[in-house]
Amino acid sequence: VQLQASGGGLVQAGGSLRLSCVGSGRTLRGYTVAWFRQATGKEREFVGGIKWANSNPVYADSVKGRFTISRDNAKSTLDLQMNNLQPEDTAVYYCAASATIISSNLGVPSAWHYWGQGTLVTVSS
């Protein structure tokens, strides 16, 4: 599976961005997918994820109520709608996919098998 993330950019605090991730090579059907982010000098952190059956997404506490994950299994796409962005949301955002990850490992970067190349989100104050 190849993942291609896009949609990053520069936005003022309080603004919104929508990131997209497209899977190719193999359909994302059957894969759990997620978004991670990595700020400069920090470890990669889990933002949110959703299983292929479109069960309720799970989110990191830091983004709950502001970010929304959605997926289109027919199109093999994964989106991240980010509202009320804050400077601390500045990071490179990555999409990830795995066919075998278990729920307890969703937040563990090393547990994911496929990664997109990342897209930079910069939030100015």
Side-chain angles (χ1 to χ4, degrees), residues 59-88:
Y59 299 98
D61 288 343
S62 58
V63 306
K64 278 182 183 177
R66 300 188 300 124
F67 290 12
T68 302
I69 289 176
S70 60
R71 67 183 294 170
D72 186 326
N73 290 330
K75 296 180 180 179
S76 281
T77 59
L78 168 68
D79 289 345
L80 179 66
Q81 176 66 42
M82 304 184 294
N83 298 328
N84 191 23
L85 283 160
Q86 299 301 315
E88 53 267 32

Side-chain angles (χ1 to χ4, degrees), residues 10 19 35 46 89 100:
L10 174 64
L19 306 183
W35 288 96
F46 177 78
D89 295 316
T100 59

Side-chain angles (χ1 to χ4, degrees), residues 1-6 20-24 28 33-36 38 44 78 92-98 112-119:
V1 175
Q2 291 83 47
L3 301 175
Q4 180 76 29
S6 62
S20 293
C21 178
V22 179
S24 61
L28 290 178
V33 290
W35 288 96
F36 283 76
Q38 188 165 18
R44 192 167 297 190
L78 168 68
V92 177
Y93 283 71
Y94 299 89
C95 52
S98 173
W112 294 85
H113 297 124
Y114 303 101
W115 291 91
Q117 85 288 2
T119 185

Side-chain angles (χ1 to χ4, degrees), residues 32-53:
T32 297
V33 290
W35 288 96
F36 283 76
R37 67 186 181 186
Q38 188 165 18
T40 302
K42 294 187 176 182
E43 295 184 351
R44 192 167 297 190
E45 66 170 347
F46 177 78
V47 173
I50 184 169
K51 294 185 178 181
W52 91 272

